[in-house]
């Protein structure tokens, strides 16, 4: 394992369509915009071959698999294999419907080891499929794991059913993102905490729902950040502020203050 585990942020969804890709990509985008002198990688370890909110062609892990397997990939090759989204390096997941069968948890760990040697921060979207080797390897790595959840009963039940799997692969979560949050829903943060945590010591973040912009983002293949939604941007800043504190890259956040630092509010 790398000695930079706190510079790896793994976002995992408790269910499909909880917004894991949007949350993780936005977090990576904000980080890269404020750490311009650092190399930030956003990696799709979710079994999909595309990055939904990046226009145009996106490089995929398939293109470097053999080089990773044989410990041959150079820093230059890894960087050149990524697409660029402004200051952010982006690499997509796997191509082909059944290609995920060719990727083991060990490959995911090997990829992340190399990525953390080359990039200062890695943000991984590992989706929600626990039968994916890429996902399981990312969760097992020992980085900072975020669970993305929503207020739907079906999502809470799915997480409860998966607890034994998380235990079996020796992984857990200390950070929770309740996406598309509304205070009108009786499943508030206190209720969700009781349902999904044993020790009650997790750090919770809520991201307000921007239903209109979510649909536009899907159609336009853009991040919700691009629409300058104050509520969403403010909530994402809270998440990234916490990430910044854990990286140890810079003490800038202590000196400037969150609004000035991130500038998305």
């Amino acid at each position: 394992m790398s000695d930079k585990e706190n510079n790896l942020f793994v976002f995992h969804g408790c269910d499909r369509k909880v917004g894991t890709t949007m949350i993780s990509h936005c977090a990576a985008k904000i980080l890269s915009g404020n750490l311009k002198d650092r190399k930030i990688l956003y990696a799709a370890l979710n079994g999909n071959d595309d990055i939904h909110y990046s226009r145009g062609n996106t490089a995929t892990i398939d293109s470097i698999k053999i080089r990773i397997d044989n410990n041959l990939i150079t820093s230059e090759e890894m960087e050149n294999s990524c697409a660029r989204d402004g200051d952010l390096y982006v690499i997509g997941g796997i191509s082909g419907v059944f290609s995920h069968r060719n990727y083991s948890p060990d490959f995911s760990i090997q990829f992340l080891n190399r990525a953390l040697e080359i990039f200062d921060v890695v943000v991984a979207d590992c989706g929600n499929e626990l039968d994916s080797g890429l996902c399981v390897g990312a969760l097992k790595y020992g980085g900072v794991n975020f669970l993305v959840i929503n207020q739907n009963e079906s999502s809470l039940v799915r997480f409860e059913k998966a607890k034994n799997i998380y235990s079996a692969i020796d992984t857990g979560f200390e950070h929770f993102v309740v996406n598309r949050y509304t205070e009108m829903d009786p499943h508030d943060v206190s209720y969700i905490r009781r349902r999904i945590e044993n020790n009650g010591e997790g750090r919770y973040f809520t991201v307000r729902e921007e239903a209109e912009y979510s649909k536009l983002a899907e159609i336009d293949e853009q991040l919700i950040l691009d629409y300058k939604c104050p509520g969403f941007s403010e909530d994402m800043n809270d998440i990234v502020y916490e990430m910044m504190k854990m990286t140890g890259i810079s003490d800038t956040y202590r000196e400037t203050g969150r609004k000035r630092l991130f500038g998305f509010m």
Side-chain angles (χ1 to χ4, degrees), residues 100-159:
H100 69 278
R101 297 174 180 174
N102 299 322
Y103 290 83
S104 68
D106 287 342
F107 172 85
S108 186
I109 291 170
Q110 193 171 355
F111 167 80
L112 290 170
N113 272 334
R114 191 69 181 108
L116 285 167
E117 291 173 355
I118 297 167
F119 298 94
D120 296 292
V121 178
V122 176
V123 178
D125 167 15
C126 71
N128 73 292
E129 299 296 342
L130 289 171
D131 61 350
S132 163
L134 288 174
C135 172
V136 171
L139 287 173
K140 289 180 63 176
Y141 191 90
V144 181
N145 291 346
F146 282 76
L147 180 73
V148 182
I149 195 165
N150 61 22
Q151 292 168 286
N152 294 343
E153 177 66 19
S154 59
S155 294
L156 296 174
V157 170
R158 191 175 191 276
F159 176 80

Side-chain angles (χ1 to χ4, degrees), residues 42-100:
Y42 174 69
L45 302 182
N46 54 18
N48 294 322
D49 63 345
D50 63 329
I51 300 294
H52 300 298
Y53 307 108
S54 288
R55 291 174 178 264
N57 296 326
T58 302
T60 67
I61 287 177
D62 283 337
S63 64
I64 58 173
K65 183 179 187 301
I66 294 176
R67 304 286 287 174
I68 292 286
D69 280 335
N70 293 283
N71 294 313
L72 295 173
I73 194 161
T74 66
S75 298
E76 184 178 7
E77 284 179 304
M78 179 79 93
E79 291 180 25
N80 290 339
S81 297
C82 298
R84 296 295 295 270
D85 180 5
D87 297 302
L88 181 65
Y89 291 82
V90 178
I91 191 160
I94 55 181
S95 58
V97 177
F98 301 110
S99 294
H100 69 278

Side-chain angles (χ1 to χ4, degrees), residues 144-202:
V144 181
N145 291 346
F146 282 76
L147 180 73
V148 182
I149 195 165
N150 61 22
Q151 292 168 286
N152 294 343
E153 177 66 19
S154 59
S155 294
L156 296 174
V157 170
R158 191 175 191 276
F159 176 80
E160 289 169 337
K161 290 181 177 179
K163 278 185 175 181
N164 288 338
I165 300 176
Y166 296 128
S167 178
I169 63 175
D170 194 26
T171 194
F173 304 91
E174 295 182 353
H175 298 81
F176 302 85
V177 178
V178 187
N179 195 25
R180 301 169 189 143
Y181 188 79
T182 172
E183 294 182 354
M184 301 298 292
D185 195 307
H187 288 181
D188 60 8
V189 170
S190 296
Y191 176 82
I192 292 172
R193 183 191 294 271
R194 291 196 300 271
R195 286 284 297 274
I196 68 177
E197 271 199 282
N198 293 325
N199 56 25
E201 297 178 354

Side-chain angles (χ1 to χ4, degrees), residues 2-48:
S2 167
D3 60 357
K4 294 168 60 179
E5 285 89 351
N6 282 346
N7 289 11
L8 169 64
F9 299 95
V10 177
F11 287 80
H12 175 66
C14 72
D15 203 352
R16 291 177 57 83
K17 300 298 182 182
V18 294
T20 308
T21 297
M22 179 64 77
I23 295 294
S24 56
H25 198 156
C26 284
K29 183 72 172 177
I30 295 173
L31 275 174
S32 67
N34 288 280
L35 295 174
K36 294 181 181 293
D37 60 335
R38 302 287 181 164
K39 294 177 182 177
I40 314 298
L41 173 67
Y42 174 69
L45 302 182
N46 54 18
N48 294 322

